[in-house]
Amino acid sequence: MLSAAQIKHLTSLQLKKYRQKYAEFVIEGGKILAEALQEGVEVKAVIATPAQLDKCRLLAGNIPVLEADEKQMKNISSMSEPPGILAWCSMRKASEMQQPDGWQLALDGIRDPGNLGTIIRTADWFGVRNILLSEDCADIYNPKTLQSSMGSMFRCSIIQGTLTDLLRKANKPVFAAAADGDSMDQLRTASGVLVIGSESHGISEEVKRVCDHSVAIPGDGRTESLNAAVAAGILLYGMVN
Amino acid sequence: MLSAAQIKHLTSLQLKKYRQKYAEFVIEGGKILAEALQEGVEVKAVIATPAQLDKCRLLAGNIPVLEADEKQMKNISSMSEPPGILAWCSMRKASEMQQPDGWQLALDGIRDPGNLGTIIRTADWFGVRNILLSEDCADIYNPKTLQSSMGSMFRCSIIQGTLTDLLRKANKPVFAAAADGDSMDQLRTASGVLVIGSESHGISEEVKRVCDHSVAIPGDGRTESLNAAVAAGILLYGMVN
């Protein structure tokens, strides 16, 4: 059974400040655990309810598996219906860019963790795995981001920081997604960084200043905007096809 | 001020069974109210907190504007932070198809109201406004569907029913979105009905049987699936561009 200190520590990881302090995070569910292990995430321990113990021991290999009763699991889980499998993981250092010649994706002010995770998952689908995030994007280790990114987060190189600096350092043409942008057909033959802003605020003024081109998704003009994840999906498709 | 009976009635409209019983629903916020009025939705009354009264009277024209205090608004609102503007609306009868020759979109088992609203909004963006829904899709008058569809719902002709019957009646080529489908390039030159299934269950077996073609979104194969709204966005883009 988990000790009171372990419960306290794992519960604290529901908050960003403790995730950052310890450079640790938790994931929940067998599927995402399998993906994390496959992608080489350092898992310190797996915590399982009695019903999930055998399955977890099989998955975990040499990693310690700790038992938690339903009540303890309820405490350390961030989900209303805990799947009974939780893994205590170490963050990786922001790795070096993997594909310096391909497209990169930059996100400016995507505050909704579910939307952020969905965009990461979509970028991964299209093989765009270098992702830059502004400081005010949601935390990638937020349980909701992790959940909606499925395993994609573990396959991507994600750097969060001052977006203008990150874009200057990338030293590539920067394309801003904007309602009044030019044809998105230009994405087909180009390469660089695509910047997507939030639905409510768009791309910030500072970031706009470091953008070289703009691209819009054609529509019939009666709808004001698209959801940020949907827009990202369409532009990513336009980039790689 | 609102009467107790009015509060009871408006609160009941948070539940699908009462929305269906009375053929009424509520929307919240000034922006969506403006869109509803513009698209000819029948608004029975607008309810506003004192701070929003003037704005609502301006918007509402001849429609009665009723005052509610903060506490009453909290009761009848489905939102944790009510915007202070709520409109009591009548459902329209499922209207006749508006564009019999264009693409139609069919959704099978999209249970998440937020995702359903996002898909409707995306279809509207691309001018695809004939939408068929299976019985087990979320309710289009669910507050979360309304919120995420923005005003798009009011511009679309949406019919919910037995999807196989609706598809047979449409009497057009039916294209199923499927991970193992053929090239989505075929959408560019074709027309018909595009069917999108849920992320977790895909398209149901009965519906698959009435599909003539299948289409897939190309990816690099390391990600299992896309979010249903993102997939819908990419396929809709592929259809009209």
Side-chain angles (χ1 to χ4, degrees):
Chain A
M1 297 286 276
L2 292 181
S3 70
Q6 285 171 322
I7 291 176
K8 193 180 161 197
H9 180 76
L10 288 167
T11 309
S12 79
L13 297 179
Q14 290 179 20
L15 297 176
K16 183 178 175 183
K17 71 170 177 175
Y18 292 107
R19 290 196 293 270
Q20 291 189 321
K21 180 175 172 185
Y22 301 115
E24 290 172 2
F25 64 103
V26 297
I27 52 176
E28 297 195 59
K31 206 165 165 184
I32 193 168
L33 170 59
E35 299 235 33
L37 290 169
Q38 197 188 323
E39 300 299 332
V41 173
E42 190 197 324
V43 178
K44 299 167 80 89
V46 174
I47 294 96
T49 51
Q52 302 289 350
L53 264 183
D54 288 346
K55 184 179 171 185
C56 283
R57 286 200 181 110
L58 221 64
L59 262 172
N62 292 327
I63 297 161
V65 178
L66 310 173
E67 190 176 339
D69 62 28
E70 302 285 344
K71 204 184 142 203
Q72 291 180 321
M73 186 58 91
K74 200 106 197 163
N75 265 328
I76 58 176
S77 170
S78 68
M79 298 171 83
S80 53
E81 292 180 33
I85 301 175
L86 185 147
W88 175 18
C89 308
S90 289
M91 290 181 189
R92 279 188 277 204
K93 290 204 183 105
S95 55
E96 291 303 304
M97 287 299 171
Q98 302 294 313
Q99 336 150 312
D101 294 330
W103 273 102
Q104 286 180 232
L105 180 67
L107 303 177
D108 188 21
I110 305 290
R111 290 202 179 89
D112 179 80
N115 245 354
L116 178 62
T118 301
I119 295 175
I120 293 171
R121 178 176 162 202
T122 309
D124 181 28
W125 175 277
F126 288 114
V128 176
R129 299 195 174 86
N130 288 325
I131 302 176
L132 308 174
L133 304 183
S134 67
E135 299 276 15
D136 61 347
C137 280
D139 181 22
I140 51 170
Y141 294 103
N142 178 303
K144 282 185 193 155
T145 314
L146 287 164
Q147 218 63 36
S148 58
S149 91
M150 319 276 286
S152 292
M153 224 206 74
F154 309 128
R155 277 186 288 274
C156 294
S157 160
I158 303 176
I159 299 178
Q160 188 159 19
T162 306
L163 196 50
T164 45
D165 292 349
L166 294 173
L167 287 170
R168 277 196 205 98
K169 245 164 107 181
N171 197 23
K172 290 178 176 189
V174 179
F175 295 76
D180 58 353
D182 303 320
S183 165
M184 63 173 271
D185 288 343
Q186 62 185 304
L187 296 176
R188 254 183 222 141
T189 50
S191 177
V193 189
L194 172 71
V195 188
I196 310 259
S198 80
E199 256 166 85
S200 18
H201 305 102
I203 295 175
S204 69
E205 289 305 320
E206 309 88 79
V207 172
K208 267 187 201 158
R209 263 177 247 131
V210 298
C211 292
D212 307 296
H213 310 278
S214 66
V215 286
I217 297 168
D220 86 345
R222 286 162 72 185
T223 321
E224 200 174 293
S225 67
L226 284 170
N227 167 284
V230 172
I234 295 166
L235 292 168
L236 285 160
Y237 168 78
M239 264 159 51
V240 298
N241 288 286
Chain B
M1 297 285 278
L2 292 181
S3 69
Q6 285 171 323
I7 291 176
K8 194 180 161 196
H9 181 76
L10 288 166
T11 309
S12 79
L13 297 179
Q14 289 179 20
L15 297 176
K16 184 179 174 184
K17 70 170 176 176
Y18 293 108
R19 289 196 293 270
Q20 291 190 322
K21 182 174 171 184
Y22 302 114
E24 291 173 1
F25 65 103
V26 297
I27 51 176
E28 297 195 59
K31 205 166 167 185
I32 193 169
L33 169 59
E35 300 235 33
L37 291 168
Q38 196 187 322
E39 300 299 331
V41 173
E42 190 198 326
V43 178
K44 298 166 81 88
V46 174
I47 294 97
T49 52
Q52 302 289 350
L53 265 184
D54 288 345
K55 185 179 171 186
C56 283
R57 287 200 181 110
L58 221 63
L59 261 171
N62 293 327
I63 298 162
V65 178
L66 309 173
E67 190 176 338
D69 62 27
E70 302 285 344
K71 206 183 142 202
Q72 291 180 321
M73 186 58 92
K74 199 106 196 162
N75 265 328
I76 59 175
S77 170
S78 68
M79 297 170 83
S80 53
E81 292 179 33
I85 300 175
L86 186 146
W88 175 17
C89 308
S90 289
M91 290 182 189
R92 280 188 277 204
K93 289 206 184 106
S95 55
E96 293 301 303
M97 287 300 170
Q98 302 296 313
Q99 337 149 313
D101 295 330
W103 273 103
Q104 286 180 231
L105 181 67
L107 304 176
D108 188 21
I110 305 291
R111 291 202 179 88
D112 180 81
N115 244 352
L116 178 61
T118 302
I119 295 175
I120 292 171
R121 179 176 161 202
T122 310
D124 181 28
W125 174 277
F126 289 114
V128 176
R129 298 194 176 87
N130 288 326
I131 302 177
L132 308 175
L133 304 182
S134 67
E135 299 276 16
D136 60 347
C137 280
D139 181 23
I140 50 170
Y141 294 102
N142 179 302
K144 282 187 191 153
T145 314
L146 287 163
Q147 219 61 35
S148 57
S149 91
M150 320 276 287
S152 291
M153 225 207 72
F154 308 128
R155 277 187 287 275
C156 294
S157 159
I158 304 175
I159 299 179
Q160 189 159 19
T162 306
L163 196 52
T164 44
D165 292 349
L166 295 173
L167 288 170
R168 276 196 206 97
K169 246 165 106 181
N171 198 23
K172 288 178 176 191
V174 180
F175 295 76
D180 59 353
D182 303 321
S183 165
M184 63 174 270
D185 288 343
Q186 63 186 301
L187 296 177
R188 254 183 223 142
T189 50
S191 177
V193 190
L194 172 71
V195 188
I196 309 259
S198 80
E199 255 166 87
S200 19
H201 305 101
I203 295 174
S204 69
E205 289 305 319
E206 308 88 79
V207 172
K208 266 186 202 158
R209 263 178 247 131
V210 297
C211 293
D212 307 297
H213 310 279
S214 66
V215 285
I217 297 169
D220 86 344
R222 286 162 72 184
T223 322
E224 201 174 292
S225 68
L226 284 170
N227 168 284
V230 172
I234 295 166
L235 292 169
L236 285 159
Y237 168 78
M239 264 159 52
V240 297
N241 288 285

